[in-house]
Amino acid sequence: DLNCGGIVKMDKEQVLGKMDLKSIDELKEIIGQGDLEYADVIGESNFFIISKENTRYGKPTISFIDMYEDHRLIELSLDYNDRPKNCKAYLTIKSLAYIRGKYRKKPLNWELVAGGEFCNKFHGGHVLSYSLANQLLKEYYIYDKYKKILFIQTAWSNMNFCGRNRFSQWYFEKKIKRKLENGGTIFYESELIYKSADDKIPLGIHIQSLSDDCELEINVFIPNIDTLLKIDYREGKIYNMLD
């Protein structure tokens, strides 16, 4: 079954190869972060830690400028090529309103992966998940909201799809959600990383979060890859690695 098969732990070279990168230095340059290491140093895999220091999941570069008692959206933006790019928000337990129904909007360039043999291996990923901020996003009028929020993301990168990737984006979102449910306030920031100005699919997502009590610290890069696929990020073409 091409969809499942259990957890796949890849080493650094395999992950970099999936992104068509020759070295971690090349990834550092693309992300703009010099202090970056692969997560296998803590017995985990499939993501990169930024500014690890004495933390488990990285030391955030973000900081609370003002402490908001309520949740607030600071930024949700496109880049100069009209692609989804950045998000900044203060999140509280109020952000976690119940989600009614499903959002059927699709991300930019979705037609590249829709239909055909690979359609079930891609999701509409979120720079700010509805599971974390459904109510917050309802309260704000946001021009081109779905275009700014959604991006093409592999199911492998987005969540633990068929148990193949424990350390997906959802793994970190669950940590954030639990902290909010326990009454914490979190400053959340995410940035989609593209290899070039012409790329149709992002290389991955850089996520940071910091709780008001500093007990939750996250600063990670999650590659937008799949163990079974080869992605041409610039053209949006998908290839089956088993062919």
Side-chain angles (χ1 to χ4, degrees), residues 36-217:
L36 180 148
E37 56 188 279
Y38 190 56
D40 59 0
V41 297
I42 55 172
E44 297 172 356
S45 71
N46 306 336
F47 68 98
F48 293 83
I49 304 168
I50 299 170
S51 302
K52 184 174 185 298
E53 297 185 13
N54 295 318
T55 68
R56 186 173 181 84
Y57 297 117
K59 188 77 173 177
T61 59
I62 55 179
S63 61
F64 282 95
I65 300 173
D66 297 301
M67 180 60 68
Y68 293 110
E69 295 181 0
D70 203 356
H71 56 192
R72 183 176 299 193
L73 184 65
I74 307 299
E75 179 181 351
L76 189 63
S77 60
L78 303 171
D79 69 5
Y80 56 86
N81 278 331
D82 217 26
R83 303 174 298 188
K85 183 63 175 174
N86 292 99
C87 174
K88 295 180 183 179
Y90 285 92
L91 304 176
T92 70
I93 193 170
K94 184 180 175 182
S95 308
L96 302 176
Y98 175 71
I99 301 175
R100 296 182 181 275
K102 294 183 178 180
Y103 294 86
R104 302 190 182 279
K105 300 291 184 178
K106 299 301 181 183
L108 182 70
N109 297 320
W110 182 250
E111 67 279 1
L112 297 172
V113 298
E117 62 177 312
F118 304 127
C119 63
N120 66 336
K121 294 184 177 63
F122 289 91
H123 290 168
H126 297 75
V127 296
L128 179 58
S129 167
Y130 283 106
S131 66
L132 300 178
N134 184 57
Q135 185 60 35
L136 172 64
L137 293 169
K138 279 185 176 180
E139 292 178 9
Y140 279 77
Y141 169 76
I142 305 168
Y143 180 72
D144 271 350
K145 177 167 70 173
Y146 296 106
K147 186 176 182 179
K148 293 174 180 176
I149 293 173
L150 294 169
F151 66 99
I152 294 176
Q153 186 176 30
T154 66
W156 188 92
S157 174
N158 187 33
M159 60 176 57
N160 191 13
F161 184 58
C162 282
R164 293 199 295 126
N165 180 21
R166 179 185 170 198
F167 300 102
S168 61
Q169 183 169 331
W170 176 231
Y171 174 83
F172 296 101
E173 289 172 347
K174 283 191 293 185
K175 290 183 174 294
I176 296 170
K177 186 176 181 180
R178 281 196 295 267
K179 188 67 176 178
L180 296 174
E181 290 172 335
N182 290 324
T185 297
I186 289 177
F187 187 23
Y188 172 92
E189 180 174 335
S190 66
E191 179 184 8
L192 291 179
I193 305 299
Y194 298 91
K195 289 175 68 176
S196 75
D198 299 318
D199 284 3
K200 293 181 171 63
I201 298 177
L203 190 67
I205 185 167
H206 176 196
I207 292 178
Q208 299 188 68
S209 65
L210 177 66
S211 62
D212 52 348
D213 59 8
C214 295
E215 289 185 355
L216 178 68
E217 295 180 313

